[in-house]
Amino acid sequence: MIKLNTDHAFLNEDIASYQGQVNELHDAIMNKTAKGNDFLGWVDWCNNYDKDEFARIKKDAAYVRENCEVYLVCGIGGSYLGARAAIEMINGLYGKDKYKPEIIFCGNTFSSTYTKQVLDYIADKEVMINVISKSGTTTETSLAFRLFKQFIEKKYGKDEAKKRIIATTDGTKGTLFDLATKEGYTKYVIPNDIGGRFSVITPVGLLPIAVAGIDIDALMQGVTDAFNDFDTADLSKNPAYAYAVARRILQNQGKNVEMFITYDLQTTMLAEWWKQLFGESEGKNGKGIFPAAGTFSTDLHSMGQFVQDGLKIVFETLVLFKNPTEDVIFPEDADNLDNMNYLAGKSLDWVNKMAMQGTLEAHEVEGNVPNLLIEVEDMSSHSFGYLVYFFFRAVAMSVLMLDENPFDQPGVEVYKKNMFRLLGKK
């Protein structure tokens, strides 16, 4: 379950006053008649996904875990952000399964230093690679994949290399599909009706997540439970839609920047995933809220001053995980030279939550910064699946309220055209 608290948001309109519009858009989402309906496959994916393919993911993930030290996930945007968000949120940054195998994300940058350092790092390690691209022509991913493909072929020979490369791509066509078919790589399908930023619940995200030792059955159960819970347009019962409406109300009040806030470092990549989901879905035709993020209390020491006293264009969406994955009790010290004994016997999670409460009060009472509070039970696989589906429904409703297509990204093509011209690609 997710709870949404809007008491800290200073809304000057009643969320319930939008019920009529939400009713209409909910029907369009569920009946798949909304703008961008060709990409609404995620809505009921929990009921329609290929169960045989799902079982194969678990089997192949077990094989990977037994046969490599480093698993390269080669993809960009939705082809890696969701998986990385899940792995770090659920396992933690130094969890017990973090290095079984070690998962390195590549193909998401042109950085020569990063790419060369990864190549050097894996030189004496057992390596497998999962290349992820719908078309197979994404430049960052294709460039990296050629380098790592040749590395694996040189290290193991072509026959063994074929067993160490997995391609997640279109099911029938495309550059990567053709290459994978010719070479005999294991293939997984990116559904035609689910866009990249919604693809974490498909083989795009599920295979790397399973390789990390995470229970993908529980993750998909979280998606299923969210689907069932949000199968209503009633704003008093659907927190995803209530969140979407609250965003629109706050923007009407001049709040054009939304900061996604958590208090756990292991959710930093969750914020990066959220930024793509909302930024790429909503930023069209001069519309939308700019998505930013902060991991508090860390970022309070860099961004806190602006949020508190700066231009009043910001509202915060605070995601609170009620139960930490792990906790530590702060010890007493006989000498107390650091004057910290006032915290002796307290858990670090309690300290973290008191920092959150103090910051919330400062931003709300003195800073006049609206806060939307989303409460999540824990950082389990089930909660991750539930939470991402919550945001899927919220972003669809929020963007449709702007009368825009939430599922395309025409602006992304502009930089690509210029880049290709400068690179000399015909």
Side-chain angles (χ1 to χ4, degrees):
M1 290 289 293
I2 281 179
K3 294 182 180 178
L4 174 70
N5 185 346
T6 61
D7 291 346
H8 307 281
F10 314 121
L11 303 178
N12 62 12
E13 296 179 73
D14 184 4
I15 288 177
S17 67
Y18 285 80
Q19 188 64 69
Q21 184 182 14
V22 168
N23 288 343
E24 180 180 342
L25 294 176
H26 170 74
D27 289 344
I29 292 170
M30 298 308 296
N31 295 326
K32 299 184 181 180
T33 58
K35 284 191 173 183
N37 59 77
D38 289 348
F39 289 94
L40 280 168
W42 56 268
V43 171
D44 53 0
W45 178 250
C46 60
N47 298 327
N48 298 326
Y49 69 91
D50 186 329
K51 307 305 187 294
D52 291 336
E53 183 180 58
F54 190 83
R56 191 161 60 90
I57 288 172
K58 292 190 285 186
K59 181 179 178 181
D60 285 345
Y63 176 84
V64 170
R65 287 170 63 80
E66 293 172 1
N67 289 278
C68 78
E69 298 171 278
V70 175
Y71 184 67
L72 299 175
V73 178
C74 188
I76 195 168
S79 294
Y80 93 99
L81 282 171
R84 186 170 180 181
I87 292 166
E88 293 190 4
M89 171 177 149
I90 298 164
N91 282 354
L93 299 177
Y94 299 97
K96 57 184 173 59
D97 288 323
K98 175 68 177 176
Y99 299 108
K100 297 179 181 179
E102 181 177 4
I103 298 176
I104 296 178
F105 295 90
C106 58
N108 53 26
T109 179
F110 290 124
S111 169
S112 58
T113 301
Y114 179 83
T115 304
K116 180 59 164 62
Q117 287 181 341
V118 172
L119 283 165
D120 291 344
Y121 179 73
I122 65 175
D124 59 351
K125 294 179 171 59
E126 295 298 317
V127 180
M128 296 183 71
I129 185 168
N130 178 199
V131 56
I132 306 169
S133 176
K134 179 73 170 173
S135 65
T137 59
T138 305
T139 311
E140 293 90 341
T141 301
S142 297
L143 185 151
F145 179 55
R146 177 182 288 193
L147 289 167
F148 291 112
K149 172 177 174 288
Q150 290 186 359
F151 164 84
I152 287 177
E153 289 177 345
K154 182 177 180 180
K155 183 179 179 72
Y156 298 105
K158 289 208 68 168
D159 288 341
E160 175 64 19
K162 293 176 182 179
K163 302 175 184 178
R164 291 180 171 269
I165 299 174
I166 300 172
T168 306
T169 187
D170 190 274
T172 59
K173 63 184 185 302
T175 300
L176 181 55
F177 173 85
D178 292 342
L179 172 63
T181 301
K182 179 180 178 182
E183 297 290 347
Y185 302 151
T186 296
K187 294 196 295 290
Y188 283 96
V189 175
I190 302 175
N192 288 326
D193 56 355
I194 299 180
R197 54 191 178 274
F198 293 81
S199 66
V200 64
I201 59 175
T202 75
V204 170
L206 293 178
L207 178 58
I209 292 169
V211 167
I214 291 169
D215 184 352
I216 60 173
D217 288 294
L219 190 155
M220 288 303 295
Q221 186 61 51
V223 174
T224 302
D225 290 345
F227 170 81
N228 292 328
D229 288 349
F230 302 148
D231 189 20
T232 174
D234 189 339
L235 284 165
S236 67
K237 298 178 180 179
N238 190 327
Y241 289 167
Y243 167 57
V245 172
R247 296 179 78 249
R248 296 275 69 90
I249 293 173
L250 286 168
Q251 187 173 32
N252 292 341
Q253 297 172 202
K255 306 301 182 182
N256 290 307
V257 176
E258 178 178 12
M259 287 190 69
F260 180 100
I261 303 297
T262 75
Y263 279 75
D264 294 277
L265 289 173
Q266 69 201 71
T267 57
T268 298
M269 289 308 301
L270 177 68
E272 294 300 305
W273 171 84
W274 174 90
K275 281 161 61 177
Q276 184 197 9
L277 180 68
F278 278 81
E280 203 166 64
S281 298
E282 191 170 62
K284 293 158 191 173
N285 296 314
K287 302 176 186 178
I289 297 169
F290 183 81
T295 304
F296 290 172
S297 65
T298 306
D299 290 336
L300 284 172
H301 293 259
S302 58
M303 294 299 295
Q305 175 61 41
F306 185 94
V307 175
Q308 186 75 33
D309 290 339
L311 193 65
K312 296 305 176 185
I313 57 174
V314 175
F315 73 93
E316 294 173 313
T317 293
L318 170 58
V319 180
L320 169 63
F321 296 93
K322 293 170 60 178
N323 299 304
T325 304
E326 300 190 59
D327 205 355
V328 176
I329 301 300
F330 191 71
E332 186 170 356
D333 186 281
D335 296 327
N336 195 30
L337 297 177
D338 55 7
N339 297 313
M340 294 294 290
N341 270 354
Y342 73 97
L343 292 177
K346 305 293 186 182
S347 78
L348 292 193
D349 181 62
W350 179 84
V351 173
N352 202 25
K353 286 184 169 57
M354 292 306 98
M356 180 212 73
Q357 186 61 42
T359 304
L360 180 61
E361 291 176 7
H363 289 180
E364 176 191 10
V365 178
E366 299 177 45
N368 198 32
V369 176
N371 266 262
L372 298 168
L373 179 59
I374 299 171
E375 293 188 23
V376 186
E377 190 65 27
D378 54 31
M379 299 186 197
S380 65
S381 303
H382 181 276
S383 290
F384 180 85
Y386 197 102
L387 183 60
V388 297
Y389 192 83
F390 167 88
F391 283 125
F392 287 169
R393 278 293 187 93
V395 76
M397 177 59 66
S398 189
V399 180
L400 289 170
M401 289 178 71
L402 293 174
D403 196 27
E404 294 292 338
N405 179 353
F407 311 115
D408 63 357
Q409 51 279 339
V412 174
E413 302 305 317
V414 178
Y415 93 87
K416 291 181 181 180
K417 291 178 181 177
N418 292 337
M419 179 182 69
F420 291 150
R421 173 179 54 81
L422 293 167
L423 292 173
K425 180 178 180 179
K426 296 188 184 301

